[in-house]
Amino acid sequence: MKIGFVGLGGMGQGMVGQLLEAGHDVTVWNRSKAPVEKLEAKGAKAAESPRKLAKSSEILITMLPDDSIVHGTLVESGALEALGKQAVHINMATVSVGFARGLAALHKRLGSHYVAAPVLGRPDVAAAGKLNIIAAGESAVVERITPILEAMGQKVWPVGEAPELANVVKIGANFMLASAIESMGEACALNEAHGVGRDTFLDIVTSTLFAAPAYQGYGKMIREASYTPAGMKMAWGLKDVGLAMQASHDSRVPLPFGGIVRDSLLEALARGDGDKDWAALAETPIGRAHLDKR
Amino acid sequence: MKIGFVGLGGMGQGMVGQLLEAGHDVTVWNRSKAPVEKLEAKGAKAAESPRKLAKSSEILITMLPDDSIVHGTLVESGALEALGKQAVHINMATVSVGFARGLAALHKRLGSHYVAAPVLGRPDVAAAGKLNIIAAGESAVVERITPILEAMGQKVWPVGEAPELANVVKIGANFMLASAIESMGEACALNEAHGVGRDTFLDIVTSTLFAAPAYQGYGKMIREASYTPAGMKMAWGLKDVGLAMQASHDSRVPLPFGGIVRDSLLEALARGDGDKDWAALAETPIGRAHLDKR
Amino acid sequence: MKIGFVGLGGMGQGMVGQLLEAGHDVTVWNRSKAPVEKLEAKGAKAAESPRKLAKSSEILITMLPDDSIVHGTLVESGALEALGKQAVHINMATVSVGFARGLAALHKRLGSHYVAAPVLGRPDVAAAGKLNIIAAGESAVVERITPILEAMGQKVWPVGEAPELANVVKIGANFMLASAIESMGEACALNEAHGVGRDTFLDIVTSTLFAAPAYQGYGKMIREASYTPAGMKMAWGLKDVGLAMQASHDSRVPLPFGGIVRDSLLEALARGDGDKDWAALAETPIGRAHLDKR
Amino acid sequence: MKIGFVGLGGMGQGMVGQLLEAGHDVTVWNRSKAPVEKLEAKGAKAAESPRKLAKSSEILITMLPDDSIVHGTLVESGALEALGKQAVHINMATVSVGFARGLAALHKRLGSHYVAAPVLGRPDVAAAGKLNIIAAGESAVVERITPILEAMGQKVWPVGEAPELANVVKIGANFMLASAIESMGEACALNEAHGVGRDTFLDIVTSTLFAAPAYQGYGKMIREASYTPAGMKMAWGLKDVGLAMQASHDSRVPLPFGGIVRDSLLEALARGDGDKDWAALAETPIGRAHLDKR
């Protein structure tokens, strides 16, 4: 099957690498050229434009940063209209619920198929083929593309027929990540103010009750207060929390932790931490304790 | 060494069971008699009063619910004054930072030794000897009693010389648990409002990013909306979050998640869920979404 | 001077009434016709379309509900392009900061003048000519139109040259209103749970420390738990708080009260209070106390 | 009637001044002597101890800072026991609900009468005799002492028979003050980040929607960023918000704004603003916006 892949950031590169290793025929497109060349060296082909790529793909996978870039690259460019009737567009990005609904409607009108398949895992996980992939779309189509998803991830989690359901799960998971980071930050502030170092405290909790990838990965950054290079920059963290707030607004679901983590991210950006990993939002509650003035 | 043990709730019974299995000489006291008889059957001896028990113990372990019960049982009763000069009091309960400081000062005045050793784990973990034990006190004393602690837990985590440090770590860990429960509740509300069942959502996140005991244990209760019998009742959850709020107040450390989880617990109690496990605080954000009215 | 007025809701009708009383020559347009006829009876003329009205007006005043309706009625319709070079558009609606900036840029390009002049006060205040009007735009232009604004309000408050400044002030004021309502709701919940009726409590505070229009007006609704007919519906309240959250997001200013009132409004909408005045957000904290279960 | 008055801080001095002007026979006691001498010059007599003062008073008025000082000065000292059977103790301080209940029970046991009569107003208002006084206690007793209260205030607000009801009203009013200050701080942060000075913004809102003593008094401090000398220090503000949080906890009433203002006060204390008026809590949200880094 001819696979097209659009969006070769840290995540996309690892995912295409896995597809190539599994022997798939992959043609790629990316705004900047360096990652294209890197993947050509591993056996990928390069496309001239998203539109041309769409035209020649049976499966079009996209891994783009946000609603507006997806819209520009696929909708405004005419790429989706160029897809064949039997083709499947697999959108693996974290987009908003509203945008996911709109894309699904557009595909319906065009006669092409749409599967939302956002992923859990950061670039190192993608490169290792260990992503968890949440998939939603017509079940026959999801079944058909599952082998391709499995080439990129350790497990596929189907969650229903309406594509936006996968996005809701992903948005909920990222909201929980943000909450986990905030709660580590607040607990560290409390411990440090009493004389227990964050290293000691986080070592204990992330080895025991919270011995999970989310806590151990972000916990390590917080323990070392080392947030560069950023796996996911602050602004993207704010985007993801923003998606949760938007979904909460549109569905009339209060989200008190959402308001708090939003504010911690805004304060981090306001103090100049925009280039750091979004885990640096943990420094907001720590900073508010003004430990240096004690 | 002669060990005295006061406080035979769900946690204490499991802990004494482990001490007996390890071959220790244990004498127990409890306000109600049933658990005493159960442990006598396993080889424990029974004391007439906390004071008499203290008098004859080289190591006095206490596992009592809160500051006020510890104060009544050990201080007002004269038990601590009856302890020998070389004896060690190991307080394994979750008490406040202020109370921990006061107890340490009292022991210093009396000439006895004091170690704070709160634990991570619920009754089933205690019964299996798999607790994680956070210990703080004079390092020579902590070292001396470590074999006893190891009989009750899988690992001992020393955190410093001042006993209250262990309590701060424990209070911080419980605050993180409450935050984890709240974040699951909010994320489930968001998912359910969009048509993704809590079972599906929690299965995914607790199998992947949040594959940790805290999330899996509490996540199971939330998935099944089954909160009885309570491992830890709502009121004790509120007590623990209250300890975090108190420590935050006394040390001037803002704790925004603390305010939110406090309110979720208060609302749970107000609506009549006082007999449920404190994990039912997750139903507060779900209830606020009024999903039944959609 | 020929004045055109677009948007004859509860606010707009009162404002046009004042302009007519002051002897101005006013032509109006509104989507539905009833209010147009009512004002024709008082001496207003009727226009066929926003575009035709714009073409013939020296001053074009608009009082429309939100960004999207302003955009549709004035921009997409071509009305703004039809304005003469010396004409002034006075936008008295509560729009977003971003949209205000966009409109200002559009007018600059078209060569027409733009003044943002949002108002403080509800329909009864507008009908009485007692509005407070916040105005921002080129100072010479603001000065020129001040007599017209004064015909509609008791006082004009100039706040600067950039039109969006007036919108920020208005958004901040509405955010403070929402906060005042929430704080009355929370304080009433606390009082009622202790046996002090909301009527007693609000009578005291709104007669003393909080003897201000905002507290007395909304306080009256809360005292009587009577929220219909709505002066401003819940959804518009959410829109206004949403504008504050958006401005907070875009300018990286944490807004913790914003998160709380947003959630109280969402919960009010979720429980089915969408047709009530937004003051009914005060019932959210009261409902959470489950006073009926005591 | 022989009036005894204990507690001559900024509030008490003004109140005794008013009683003397009204021609009452007042004997005073205070821990430090300077204010006693000042009032002796105006016609007051001085007592040797709270106990002796209680013994000779028909009406014993106390205006002390908090639960613990009231307890020490009146209960531990034996003063209350020295009161005659027909005597009335009027406690005008802001104490906790729980403590108010305890004092009422103690008086019942001793056979003396107890009225809680906390006040709204700061020292300048007390000196001018313009306080608002909230009174609760047996209605016959409240009626009997009303003329005395009226000598100190512009209006007496009876709220019921149980003394703690007056304290709940006062605690609720102070919670609303804290919320008003926080909301001004947040709205100023938002305005300043967009280029509208706090002076301009607060001038508008406190002249219009929020033209009330609470907003104008605190608004003036915020406009001038001038918080010394403190009318009410930060620590007393935290005490008052703490009373609201305690009452909320004990009565199971969630109080989300309470959590936020608590945190703003804690951050203010942590950054070293402990000597400022509690209105400086408004600087917390402003500081979080890091406007100096823009």
Side-chain angles (χ1 to χ4, degrees):
Chain A
M1 240 177 330
K2 297 171 74 71
I3 299 178
F5 199 110
V6 173
L8 302 175
M11 296 296 295
Q13 290 179 44
M15 292 156 78
V16 171
Q18 290 294 312
L19 288 171
L20 292 171
E21 266 189 39
H24 286 289
D25 171 3
V26 188
T27 308
V28 302
W29 183 87
N30 193 58
R31 205 175 36 167
S32 68
K33 291 306 150 211
V36 174
E37 285 158 20
K38 220 153 76 183
L39 289 166
E40 282 183 300
K42 293 187 182 171
K45 281 166 278 181
E48 265 174 63
S49 72
R51 188 176 162 84
K52 287 194 180 164
L53 180 57
K55 198 161 184 152
S56 63
S57 298
E58 289 162 284
I59 305 285
L60 178 69
I61 305 178
T62 60
M63 189 62 181
L64 294 161
D66 64 16
D67 289 12
S68 129
I69 295 177
V70 175
H71 186 77
T73 312
L74 301 181
V75 183
E76 286 184 0
S77 72
L80 290 194
E81 292 181 20
L83 265 184
K85 292 280 174 198
Q86 289 314 310
V88 182
H89 172 205
I90 311 177
N91 182 357
M92 304 188 76
T94 302
V95 297
S96 73
V97 172
F99 187 72
R101 286 195 182 119
L103 266 188
L106 177 58
H107 276 288
K108 196 158 198 175
R109 195 153 55 71
L110 296 172
S112 44
H113 299 291
Y114 181 55
V115 173
V119 302
L120 302 179
R122 290 171 47 124
D124 54 326
V125 180
K130 297 288 185 201
L131 294 170
N132 279 280
I133 301 174
I134 306 152
E138 295 159 67
S139 56
V141 178
V142 170
E143 209 170 301
R144 178 145 61 93
I145 63 162
T146 292
I148 293 169
L149 297 179
E150 284 174 346
M152 292 179 283
Q154 61 173 297
K155 183 154 183 180
V156 176
W157 303 84
V159 296
E161 297 261 330
E164 73 267 19
L165 298 181
N167 298 104
V168 173
V169 170
K170 166 66 176 169
I171 288 168
N174 276 17
F175 159 79
M176 283 177 61
L177 283 178
S179 298
I181 297 170
E182 170 78 23
S183 87
M184 283 190 272
E186 293 189 20
C188 284
L190 195 62
N191 272 273
E192 293 199 341
H194 284 87
V196 179
R198 56 171 84 180
D199 194 51
T200 300
F201 175 71
L202 289 177
D203 185 24
I204 295 173
V205 293
T206 65
S207 303
T208 57
L209 299 173
F210 297 95
Y215 282 86
Q216 291 175 333
Y218 289 113
K220 187 170 181 297
M221 292 189 208
I222 301 170
R223 286 168 72 174
E224 300 170 356
S226 164
Y227 303 103
T228 49
M232 174 153 122
K233 279 202 185 175
M234 198 66 75
W236 296 115
L238 182 60
K239 184 209 80 167
D240 279 6
V241 170
L243 293 178
M245 294 296 274
Q246 185 68 45
S248 134
H249 177 279
D250 293 346
S251 62
R252 277 67 176 112
V253 174
L255 208 64
F257 270 17
I260 305 284
V261 295
R262 190 194 82 113
D263 283 348
S264 280
L265 285 161
L266 291 177
E267 188 169 345
L269 285 161
R271 75 172 171 257
D273 279 355
D275 286 331
K276 296 186 179 168
D277 194 278
W278 77 315
L281 79 85
E283 298 297 331
T284 298
I286 297 171
R288 289 176 180 168
H290 292 280
L291 300 168
D292 51 321
K293 298 204 180 153
R294 291 168 186 238
Chain B
M1 241 179 328
K2 298 172 74 72
I3 298 177
F5 199 110
V6 173
L8 301 174
M11 295 297 295
Q13 290 179 45
M15 291 155 79
V16 171
Q18 290 294 312
L19 288 171
L20 292 170
E21 265 190 37
H24 287 289
D25 171 3
V26 189
T27 309
V28 302
W29 184 87
N30 194 57
R31 208 175 36 166
S32 68
K33 289 308 152 211
V36 174
E37 285 158 18
K38 218 153 76 181
L39 289 166
E40 283 183 300
K42 294 188 181 170
K45 282 166 276 184
E48 266 175 60
S49 72
R51 187 177 163 83
K52 285 194 180 165
L53 180 57
K55 198 161 184 154
S56 65
S57 298
E58 289 161 282
I59 304 285
L60 178 68
I61 303 177
T62 60
M63 189 62 181
L64 294 160
D66 65 15
D67 288 13
S68 130
I69 296 175
V70 176
H71 186 78
T73 312
L74 300 182
V75 183
E76 286 183 1
S77 72
L80 290 195
E81 291 182 20
L83 266 183
K85 292 280 177 198
Q86 289 314 307
V88 182
H89 172 205
I90 309 176
N91 184 356
M92 303 187 77
T94 302
V95 298
S96 73
V97 172
F99 187 72
R101 285 195 182 121
L103 266 188
L106 177 58
H107 277 289
K108 194 157 199 177
R109 195 156 53 72
L110 295 172
S112 44
H113 299 291
Y114 181 55
V115 173
V119 302
L120 303 179
R122 291 171 46 125
D124 55 326
V125 179
K130 297 288 186 199
L131 294 170
N132 279 280
I133 302 174
I134 306 152
E138 295 160 67
S139 57
V141 179
V142 170
E143 210 170 303
R144 179 146 62 91
I145 63 162
T146 291
I148 294 168
L149 296 179
E150 285 175 344
M152 291 180 282
Q154 61 174 297
K155 183 152 183 182
V156 176
W157 302 83
V159 296
E161 297 260 329
E164 74 268 19
L165 298 182
N167 298 103
V168 173
V169 170
K170 167 68 176 167
I171 288 168
N174 276 16
F175 159 79
M176 281 178 61
L177 283 178
S179 298
I181 297 170
E182 169 79 22
S183 85
M184 282 190 274
E186 293 189 20
C188 284
L190 195 61
N191 273 273
E192 294 200 340
H194 283 86
V196 179
R198 55 171 86 183
D199 194 51
T200 299
F201 176 72
L202 288 177
D203 184 23
I204 295 174
V205 293
T206 66
S207 302
T208 56
L209 299 172
F210 298 96
Y215 281 85
Q216 290 174 335
Y218 289 114
K220 186 171 182 297
M221 292 190 206
I222 300 170
R223 285 170 70 173
E224 300 170 357
S226 164
Y227 304 102
T228 50
M232 174 154 122
K233 279 202 185 173
M234 199 64 77
W236 296 114
L238 182 61
K239 184 209 80 168
D240 279 7
V241 169
L243 294 178
M245 294 296 273
Q246 185 68 46
S248 134
H249 177 279
D250 294 347
S251 62
R252 276 70 176 108
V253 173
L255 209 63
F257 270 17
I260 305 284
V261 295
R262 190 194 83 111
D263 283 347
S264 280
L265 285 161
L266 291 177
E267 188 169 343
L269 285 160
R271 73 172 171 255
D273 279 355
D275 285 331
K276 297 187 179 168
D277 193 277
W278 76 316
L281 79 86
E283 299 295 334
T284 298
I286 297 170
R288 289 175 181 170
H290 293 280
L291 298 168
D292 52 320
K293 297 204 179 154
R294 290 166 188 239
Chain C
M1 241 177 327
K2 296 172 76 73
I3 299 178
F5 200 108
V6 173
L8 302 175
M11 296 296 295
Q13 290 179 44
M15 292 155 79
V16 171
Q18 290 294 312
L19 287 171
L20 292 170
E21 267 189 36
H24 286 289
D25 171 4
V26 188
T27 308
V28 301
W29 183 87
N30 193 57
R31 207 176 36 166
S32 68
K33 290 307 150 211
V36 174
E37 286 158 19
K38 219 153 77 182
L39 289 167
E40 281 184 301
K42 293 186 182 171
K45 281 166 276 182
E48 265 174 61
S49 72
R51 190 178 160 84
K52 286 193 181 164
L53 180 57
K55 197 160 183 155
S56 63
S57 297
E58 288 162 285
I59 304 285
L60 179 69
I61 304 178
T62 60
M63 189 62 182
L64 294 161
D66 63 16
D67 289 12
S68 129
I69 295 177
V70 176
H71 186 76
T73 311
L74 301 181
V75 183
E76 286 183 2
S77 72
L80 290 195
E81 291 181 21
L83 266 184
K85 291 281 174 195
Q86 289 314 308
V88 182
H89 173 204
I90 309 177
N91 183 356
M92 304 188 76
T94 302
V95 297
S96 73
V97 172
F99 186 73
R101 285 195 182 119
L103 266 188
L106 177 58
H107 276 290
K108 196 159 198 174
R109 195 155 54 72
L110 296 172
S112 45
H113 299 291
Y114 182 55
V115 172
V119 303
L120 302 179
R122 291 170 46 122
D124 54 327
V125 179
K130 297 288 186 198
L131 294 170
N132 279 279
I133 301 175
I134 307 154
E138 294 160 66
S139 56
V141 178
V142 170
E143 209 169 301
R144 179 146 60 92
I145 63 162
T146 291
I148 294 168
L149 296 179
E150 284 175 345
M152 292 180 282
Q154 61 174 296
K155 183 153 183 180
V156 176
W157 303 83
V159 296
E161 297 261 330
E164 73 267 20
L165 297 182
N167 298 103
V168 173
V169 170
K170 166 68 176 167
I171 288 168
N174 276 18
F175 160 80
M176 282 178 61
L177 282 179
S179 298
I181 297 170
E182 169 79 23
S183 87
M184 282 191 273
E186 294 189 21
C188 284
L190 194 62
N191 273 274
E192 293 199 341
H194 284 87
V196 178
R198 57 172 82 182
D199 194 50
T200 299
F201 175 72
L202 289 177
D203 184 24
I204 296 173
V205 293
T206 65
S207 302
T208 57
L209 298 172
F210 297 95
Y215 281 85
Q216 290 175 333
Y218 290 114
K220 186 170 182 298
M221 293 189 206
I222 301 170
R223 286 169 70 173
E224 301 170 357
S226 164
Y227 304 103
T228 48
M232 173 154 122
K233 279 203 186 175
M234 199 64 77
W236 296 114
L238 182 60
K239 184 208 82 166
D240 279 6
V241 170
L243 293 178
M245 294 296 272
Q246 185 67 46
S248 135
H249 177 279
D250 294 346
S251 62
R252 276 70 175 108
V253 174
L255 209 63
F257 270 16
I260 305 285
V261 295
R262 191 194 82 113
D263 283 348
S264 281
L265 285 162
L266 291 177
E267 188 169 344
L269 286 160
R271 75 172 170 256
D273 279 355
D275 284 332
K276 296 186 179 168
D277 194 277
W278 77 314
L281 79 87
E283 298 297 331
T284 298
I286 296 171
R288 289 175 180 169
H290 294 278
L291 298 168
D292 51 321
K293 299 204 178 153
R294 291 168 186 236
Chain D
M1 243 181 325
K2 295 171 75 70
I3 298 177
F5 199 107
V6 173
L8 301 174
M11 296 296 294
Q13 289 179 45
M15 292 155 80
V16 171
Q18 291 293 314
L19 288 170
L20 292 170
E21 266 189 37
H24 287 288
D25 171 4
V26 189
T27 308
V28 302
W29 183 87
N30 193 57
R31 206 175 38 166
S32 68
K33 290 308 149 209
V36 174
E37 285 158 19
K38 219 153 76 182
L39 288 165
E40 284 183 298
K42 293 187 182 174
K45 282 166 275 182
E48 266 175 61
S49 71
R51 190 178 162 84
K52 286 194 180 163
L53 179 57
K55 197 161 185 152
S56 64
S57 298
E58 289 162 283
I59 304 286
L60 179 67
I61 303 177
T62 60
M63 189 62 181
L64 294 161
D66 64 17
D67 289 13
S68 131
I69 295 176
V70 175
H71 187 78
T73 311
L74 300 182
V75 184
E76 285 183 1
S77 72
L80 290 195
E81 292 181 21
L83 265 185
K85 291 282 176 197
Q86 289 314 307
V88 182
H89 173 203
I90 309 177
N91 183 356
M92 303 187 76
T94 302
V95 298
S96 73
V97 172
F99 186 73
R101 286 194 181 119
L103 266 188
L106 177 58
H107 276 289
K108 194 156 200 178
R109 194 155 55 71
L110 295 172
S112 43
H113 300 291
Y114 181 55
V115 172
V119 302
L120 302 178
R122 292 172 43 125
D124 53 327
V125 179
K130 297 288 187 197
L131 294 170
N132 278 280
I133 301 175
I134 306 153
E138 296 160 69
S139 56
V141 178
V142 170
E143 209 169 303
R144 178 146 61 92
I145 64 162
T146 291
I148 294 168
L149 297 179
E150 285 175 343
M152 291 180 283
Q154 60 174 297
K155 181 149 183 184
V156 176
W157 302 84
V159 296
E161 296 261 329
E164 74 267 19
L165 298 182
N167 298 104
V168 172
V169 170
K170 166 69 175 166
I171 288 168
N174 276 16
F175 159 80
M176 282 178 61
L177 282 178
S179 298
I181 297 170
E182 170 78 23
S183 85
M184 283 191 273
E186 293 189 20
C188 285
L190 194 62
N191 272 273
E192 294 199 341
H194 283 87
V196 179
R198 57 171 83 182
D199 194 51
T200 299
F201 176 72
L202 289 177
D203 184 24
I204 296 173
V205 292
T206 66
S207 302
T208 57
L209 299 173
F210 298 95
Y215 281 85
Q216 291 175 333
Y218 290 114
K220 186 171 182 300
M221 291 189 207
I222 300 170
R223 286 168 71 173
E224 301 171 355
S226 165
Y227 304 103
T228 50
M232 174 154 121
K233 279 202 186 175
M234 198 66 74
W236 296 113
L238 182 60
K239 185 209 80 168
D240 279 6
V241 170
L243 293 177
M245 293 296 274
Q246 185 67 47
S248 134
H249 177 279
D250 294 347
S251 62
R252 276 69 175 109
V253 173
L255 208 63
F257 270 17
I260 304 284
V261 294
R262 192 195 81 113
D263 283 348
S264 281
L265 285 161
L266 291 176
E267 188 169 343
L269 286 160
R271 73 172 172 255
D273 279 356
D275 285 332
K276 296 186 179 168
D277 193 277
W278 77 315
L281 79 85
E283 299 296 332
T284 299
I286 297 170
R288 289 176 180 169
H290 292 281
L291 299 168
D292 51 321
K293 297 202 180 154
R294 289 166 189 239

